[in-house]
Amino acid sequence: MLKKKILLGQFGKFFGIKGWIKLYSFTQNKKDIFLYKKIFILNNINNIFFIKFFKYKIYKKNYIVKFNNFNNINEISHLINKKIFISYSELKKYKNIKEYYWYEIIGCYVFNQNFLLGKVTNLISLKIYDILIIKTNLLKVHKKKILIPFIENYIIKKIDLNNKFIQVDWNL
């Protein structure tokens, strides 16, 4: 099994009776899931099975996909709800130094000046910018989570992925 894998999407239920299945892409641009060449699923004992899409169509806000030689629902039933991955080494290179993958940001410690606010547990994507979700145990008065807009140079002052910390200018 691969040690470093990145979640790209997940299959849903089958669509019709001719071998189509729903696909939920977790990539920022949903269509980018089709750009990766070595995508795979894991079975129940974590064995890797590489998959290759034959056709895809837009369905509502996601896709339906078909595989070559799978022509009915019995042949794709084992894919229902399976997660789709790529290995860490398959990630596209950064377009520039100021772009980050979410998995790199999750787990970073967030500091306001020299005060630890907490640790990034997730992000939310909005139309204008992303939001850092920070879990904190330090403030009894404040809720257990702090939400901070991911706006570089204004709120996000420094990101050090090697040391897993983010410097922010944010008042509670």
Side-chain angles (χ1 to χ4, degrees):
M1 188 177 113
L2 294 173
K3 290 184 180 178
K4 284 197 165 188
K5 60 187 181 301
I6 308 297
L7 180 64
L8 284 186
Q10 183 172 347
F11 291 113
K13 296 181 180 178
F14 52 83
F15 185 84
I17 60 171
K18 295 186 177 182
W20 290 85
I21 190 166
K22 294 177 184 176
L23 170 71
Y24 302 100
S25 175
F26 301 156
T27 57
Q28 186 173 12
N29 179 358
K30 292 187 182 295
K31 193 173 183 178
D32 284 353
I33 195 168
F34 300 110
L35 299 177
Y36 296 99
K37 302 296 180 206
K38 295 181 180 178
I39 60 176
F40 61 90
I41 59 171
L42 300 172
N43 70 3
N44 295 339
I45 52 175
N46 288 329
N47 289 332
I48 296 172
F49 290 97
F50 288 96
I51 56 175
K52 186 175 181 180
F53 302 117
F54 177 63
K55 293 180 182 178
Y56 66 89
K57 297 178 184 178
I58 295 174
Y59 176 73
K60 295 188 179 178
K61 293 184 178 181
N62 285 285
Y63 294 93
I64 56 172
V65 295
K66 184 158 178 42
F67 300 92
N68 203 10
N69 301 325
F70 288 176
N71 297 310
N72 64 55
I73 58 176
N74 295 329
E75 294 171 335
I76 60 164
S77 62
H78 67 283
L79 297 175
I80 293 173
N81 295 327
K82 290 285 184 187
K83 294 182 176 173
I84 303 165
F85 300 96
I86 58 169
S87 69
Y88 174 78
S89 62
E90 290 293 313
L91 285 175
K92 290 192 278 185
K93 297 294 180 198
Y94 297 140
K95 293 179 184 172
N96 66 52
I97 197 91
K98 290 287 188 174
E99 291 186 353
Y100 309 97
Y101 290 109
W102 280 17
Y103 82 92
E104 294 175 309
I105 301 295
I106 294 171
C108 286
Y109 292 94
V110 180
F111 292 87
N112 189 12
Q113 290 120 12
N114 291 324
F115 181 76
L116 175 66
L117 293 176
K119 188 175 185 179
V120 178
T121 58
N122 207 348
L123 288 102
I124 301 170
S125 183
L126 300 177
K127 290 183 180 181
I128 331 175
Y129 47 77
D130 294 336
I131 303 285
L132 296 173
I133 300 175
I134 299 160
K135 183 179 179 184
T136 184
N137 295 327
L138 304 175
L139 305 172
K140 305 254 184 219
V141 191
H142 202 277
K143 295 182 179 179
K144 296 278 184 182
K145 292 181 182 175
I146 301 170
L147 305 178
I148 298 178
F150 192 94
I151 304 172
E152 288 188 89
N153 301 325
Y154 180 68
I155 295 172
I156 307 296
K157 296 299 184 181
K158 181 178 181 183
I159 297 175
D160 183 343
L161 295 178
N162 292 330
N163 295 309
K164 299 294 281 178
F165 82 85
I166 299 171
Q167 181 75 42
V168 299
D169 184 7
W170 188 254
N171 295 319
L172 298 177

